[in-house]
Amino acid sequence: MSWSALKALIGAICLSVIGLFQSKKNYTTNTKKYFWIALFEVVLPFILIAQGQKYVSSSIASMLIAMVSVFTLVFFVLLFKKKASKFEIVSILLGFLGIVILSWPTQGIMNVSGNILGNVLLILAAISFALSLLLMGKLEDGSPVVHMRNVLWIASIVLIPFALLFEKPLQRTLIIHKYFLLLF
């Protein structure tokens, strides 16, 4: 989680610097939307992917995460009452069939529970990304850089305390420095 917090913070800082060079448009901000996008686009996926990849191979993880477009289409049809075409329905069914076939446990019966847990975590990450994409579509006009800057700052504000609380990265850093100093 501390790496996730660091990535979000670095992204927020970089986009803040880039945002300084963009034209200043006045548009209303919706902190509540930014919070939900940060939760679904950054916080949950960072945690779910990191945990899920402990149990499945990188190739399976990438295929499961690639299901974002299938989940986005499903949620778009369900949440916005859009009528799905036959092509879209076939696409959704083939996408889910692909998930089942490609993520089927291949390392034997001893590792099935780990595979299932990893697959579920990665599918939840893909679902989270899909929800964030739908929410991003609801943002007002404005710079995508500014939108993502705001999302990453909120994600950093959420992730940093969790990282400090659960992983104690500062304590690890002190231990690393102690061993580093012993070498010299």
Side-chain angles (χ1 to χ4, degrees), residues 31-128:
T31 307
K32 190 185 285 188
K33 280 183 191 172
Y34 284 139
F35 172 80
W36 289 109
I37 293 170
L39 183 69
F40 290 126
E41 177 73 17
V42 183
V43 176
L44 291 176
F46 276 6
I47 295 167
L48 293 170
I49 291 171
Q51 296 304 312
Q53 284 189 315
K54 290 179 182 178
Y55 301 103
V56 299
S57 68
S58 296
S59 59
I60 297 293
S62 66
M63 286 183 266
L64 292 174
I65 295 299
M67 295 303 298
V68 170
S69 57
V70 173
F71 289 123
T72 305
L73 181 58
V74 168
F75 291 137
F76 190 73
V77 169
L78 294 175
L79 298 175
F80 297 106
K81 308 291 189 238
K82 181 190 176 285
K83 180 97 169 117
S85 69
K86 289 179 185 177
F87 178 75
E88 290 170 330
I89 292 171
V90 169
S91 298
I92 290 169
L93 293 175
L94 287 175
F96 283 117
L97 179 63
I99 286 177
V100 171
I101 291 170
L102 293 173
S103 65
W104 197 262
T106 58
Q107 284 94 15
I109 196 70
M110 296 303 287
N111 202 15
V112 169
S113 63
N115 279 345
I116 292 171
L117 176 62
N119 290 346
V120 168
L121 291 172
L122 292 165
I123 289 169
L124 288 173
I127 289 170
S128 183

Side-chain angles (χ1 to χ4, degrees), residues 137-183:
K138 299 291 183 183
L139 287 175
E140 301 86 27
D141 289 338
S143 167
V145 170
V146 172
H147 289 315
M148 282 313 297
R149 176 203 64 196
N150 296 343
V151 165
L152 288 174
W153 275 117
I154 292 171
S156 298
I157 291 167
V158 171
L159 286 169
I160 290 171
F162 279 118
L164 292 173
L165 182 67
F166 292 114
E167 293 184 355
K168 300 181 182 15
L170 298 176
Q171 187 177 27
R172 253 189 273 148
T173 304
L174 293 175
I175 292 169
I176 291 169
H177 286 299
K178 182 174 86 174
Y179 288 117
F180 182 74
L181 290 174
L182 288 175
L183 292 173

